[in-house]
Amino acid sequence: MSFSKETKTELCKTKVHNKEEETAMVYGMVLFSRTFSASSLSLTTECQPVARTFSEMLSSLTGTIVELEIKLTRRGGENKIFSLSVPDKNECAKIYDFFGHSPKQLNLRINRANIDIDDCMALFLRGVFLSCGNVTNPEKDYHLEFVVPHKNLASDLEKIISEIDEINTEPHIVNRKGSYIVYIKGSENIADMLTYMGAPMASLTIMQKKMMKSVRNNINRKINSETANINKTATASAKQLYAINIIKEKRGLNYLPDDLKALAIIRLENPEFNLRELGAALTPPISRSGVNHRLQRIMNIAEELSDK
């Protein structure tokens, strides 16, 4: 099951406490459904709990009979599309009037009379999300959107979301293939939105995924840094070993001063050591910069012998 379906399933299970909340939620679902007019009402969803919630709540609120048609999108019934509709035009007109809309309206807009009651805005947005919302799997991206068929309706939704103090975000609108997409970006904004609508577990999942991503990124950065350091040490060690072997072949290690000879022997025996480890292995121990200075002297001696 996709993360979006899981979120919608959680929202469908969240309790509605009174008729006002039920009205606001159903209004969000019908207003942002595939068609909503005085002669037609239909909703399409791939989430079965949404289909059941829409049918049961609309029937409970208005006494309307809702027809359900199920289509398979893949062989074996892996995916199903639930198409719900109110076939009786008189019933459609009754529902349209119930929510304060008139057939004379030129543009479909949000009727705030249905949602301007305490605690009903969250239920309205829950219904809107169930009807036309999607949220991306937080493993991939942080994106929540509402796919709205009408420009003015999208603008109304954008304005409503931007006014909610608990969310404190600025949604945006983009036109995509004839639909208007009202979207929110950012893990914290989306988590706040889901919590506000009544999906705290989905919100928690987003924050957990974000924390895991952060941990993985930190680990990867550390591994990359350590790998780079290892490669740097290996490259430097190879050059130093090459220089020491030149001295060994041409003059022997006794040619070196005692301090350089001791360091050359330790380097030959421990090619994987970094500068700090080389310094600690000497008697007495010396600093990293001291080791670097001595190795540079060895390299210069090898270069002089190579030129002869």
Side-chain angles (χ1 to χ4, degrees), residues 204-215:
L204 181 61
T205 297
I206 287 179
M207 300 316 295
Q208 287 175 334
K209 296 295 184 184
K210 182 182 180 181
M211 289 169 52
M212 291 174 64
K213 280 184 182 179
S214 178
V215 170

Side-chain angles (χ1 to χ4, degrees), residues 3-4 7 129 133-137 143-145 190 194 206:
F3 181 67
S4 197
T7 301
F129 184 80
N134 289 290
V135 59
T136 303
N137 186 334
H143 181 88
L144 183 148
E145 66 178 29
I190 294 172
L194 294 177
I206 287 179

Side-chain angles (χ1 to χ4, degrees), residues 50-254:
V50 172
R52 182 173 59 251
T53 298
F54 178 80
S55 179
E56 290 177 355
M57 292 186 72
L58 183 61
S59 296
S60 171
L61 191 65
T62 65
T64 303
I65 296 176
V66 179
E67 282 192 357
L68 170 64
E69 182 182 357
I70 303 174
K71 296 180 181 178
L72 304 182
T73 58
R74 295 183 184 176
R75 291 181 180 179
E78 293 181 21
N79 278 354
K80 296 178 181 179
I81 294 179
F82 301 88
S83 296
L84 301 105
S85 63
V86 176
D88 190 325
K89 290 186 178 182
N90 291 327
E91 289 294 317
C92 291
K94 180 175 130 182
I95 295 169
Y96 206 64
D97 179 69
F98 178 86
F99 289 111
H101 290 275
S102 167
K104 296 180 180 180
Q105 283 182 269
L106 296 177
N107 297 303
L108 196 58
R109 306 295 294 265
I110 295 175
N111 180 6
R112 291 210 178 206
N114 293 306
I115 55 178
D116 280 346
I117 305 171
D118 289 345
D119 301 323
C120 283
M121 185 64 74
L123 275 294
F124 170 71
L125 289 176
R126 184 191 304 175
V128 176
F129 184 80
L130 291 176
S131 186
C132 68
N134 289 290
V135 59
T136 303
N137 186 334
E139 289 278 8
K140 300 176 181 178
D141 193 13
Y142 302 116
H143 181 88
L144 183 148
E145 66 178 29
F146 302 88
V147 183
V148 185
H150 306 293
K151 183 177 181 180
N152 290 329
L153 205 55
S155 297
D156 286 352
L157 180 62
E158 178 192 33
K159 188 172 188 299
I160 279 179
I161 295 173
S162 66
E163 292 172 353
I164 300 171
D165 294 334
E166 292 88 339
I167 301 174
N168 192 27
T169 186
E170 289 294 332
H172 301 281
I173 299 179
V174 64
N175 191 312
R176 184 199 300 160
K177 297 180 180 178
S179 294
Y180 296 89
I181 312 301
V182 181
Y183 68 91
I184 297 172
K185 288 284 191 181
S187 58
E188 292 185 7
N189 293 333
I190 294 172
D192 288 345
M193 182 71 173
L194 294 177
T195 299
Y196 181 74
M197 292 190 299
M201 295 308 298
S203 175
L204 181 61
T205 297
I206 287 179
M207 300 316 295
Q208 287 175 334
K209 296 295 184 184
K210 182 182 180 181
M211 289 169 52
M212 291 174 64
K213 280 184 182 179
S214 178
V215 170
R216 282 199 300 265
N217 289 338
N218 288 335
I219 291 173
N220 288 337
R221 278 194 294 269
K222 187 174 181 180
I223 290 173
N224 291 337
S225 176
E226 290 178 351
T227 300
N229 289 335
I230 290 170
N231 290 338
K232 184 178 178 181
T233 298
T235 300
S237 178
K239 292 179 180 179
Q240 295 154 11
L241 290 170
Y242 180 72
I244 293 169
N245 283 319
I246 288 177
I247 297 170
K248 188 176 180 181
E249 291 174 4
K250 288 186 175 286
R251 295 294 178 88
L253 293 183
N254 289 331

